[in-house]
Amino acid sequence: MEKEFPALETKRLILRKVTKEDASDMFAYLSDEEVVKHMGLPPSKTEEDVLDEINWYESIYKNGSGIRWGITVKDFNKVIGSCGFLNTVPKHHRAEVGFELCKDYWGQGIASEALKAVVRYGFDQLELERIEALIELTNLPSQKLVERQGFLREGLLRHYEFT
């Protein structure tokens, strides 16, 4: 029996499971070079590319290595970004957190609000001991966002990932 995907609610947002019906909304930001430049992904060229991303979200949830929520504004069921965990290591109660947001919503505190809910879920429901945010050196806005959420800078991982 498949476990039910948890929805999260904040003051302004609903974080929910992404479906294939969300592909066109997600294409709007995943095709934007500025949005994806720090994600290690090329900009999506087609909605088919976005379906691959949606399938990846589903696969990490099914295999227990992560969970990725679509970010929607309440009363407006359009996916404007995503936030969630990947590379979960249950034995060590550790996971990485990641997020991206449509450029139209930058600077409004939405990514911060979503991240706060996801981190709370990680500690409270997944019983994580450590949540890591691996952020490229040049991505200063995301570094500042996670530091405002209480994350501590621990070091620089040179050549950690090839992107």
Side-chain angles (χ1 to χ4, degrees):
M1 181 164 155
E2 192 174 317
K3 55 188 173 187
E4 188 174 334
F5 193 96
L8 306 178
E9 186 173 344
T10 69
K11 183 177 179 185
R12 298 182 292 170
L13 307 174
I14 301 284
L15 282 70
R16 63 165 175 80
K17 181 178 183 174
V18 171
T19 67
K20 290 173 179 30
E21 288 73 33
D22 297 311
S24 63
D25 293 340
M26 294 173 66
F27 180 74
Y29 63 84
L30 290 176
S31 62
D32 186 326
E33 195 169 311
E34 278 190 83
V35 172
V36 300
K37 73 180 174 184
H38 298 293
M39 293 173 60
L41 298 173
S44 295
K45 302 247 185 277
T46 66
E47 283 189 24
E48 199 65 37
D49 294 340
V50 176
L51 290 174
D52 289 344
E53 186 76 358
I54 292 169
N55 288 334
W56 178 71
Y57 292 179
E58 185 147 332
S59 73
I60 65 170
Y61 183 65
K62 281 185 176 174
N63 72 24
S65 67
I67 181 171
R68 194 82 172 192
W69 287 269
I71 301 170
T72 66
V73 177
K74 280 186 181 174
D75 303 322
F76 188 57
N77 194 29
K78 176 182 173 181
V79 176
I80 59 169
S82 78
C83 186
F85 298 113
L86 61 154
N87 297 328
T88 301
V89 184
K91 177 181 176 181
H92 299 295
H93 299 269
R94 179 178 72 225
E96 294 174 24
V97 70
F99 51 88
E100 82 280 333
L101 189 64
C102 179
K103 200 165 43 180
D104 295 345
Y105 295 89
W106 288 3
Q108 299 176 32
I110 289 175
S112 183
E113 190 171 325
L115 179 63
K116 187 175 188 176
V118 166
V119 166
R120 185 178 321 112
Y121 181 88
F123 286 130
D124 294 348
Q125 302 301 313
L126 300 178
E127 298 179 344
L128 295 174
E129 179 68 27
R130 178 183 175 87
I131 298 173
E132 304 167 336
L134 302 180
I135 301 172
E136 289 186 358
L137 192 58
T138 56
N139 191 349
L140 295 177
S142 289
Q143 290 176 38
K144 289 177 182 173
L145 187 153
V146 298
E147 286 171 357
R148 283 193 304 271
Q149 294 280 334
F151 283 71
L152 303 174
R153 182 185 307 257
E154 291 187 343
L156 175 62
L157 301 172
R158 290 175 182 82
H159 304 282
Y160 183 74
E161 292 179 324
F162 180 80
T163 59

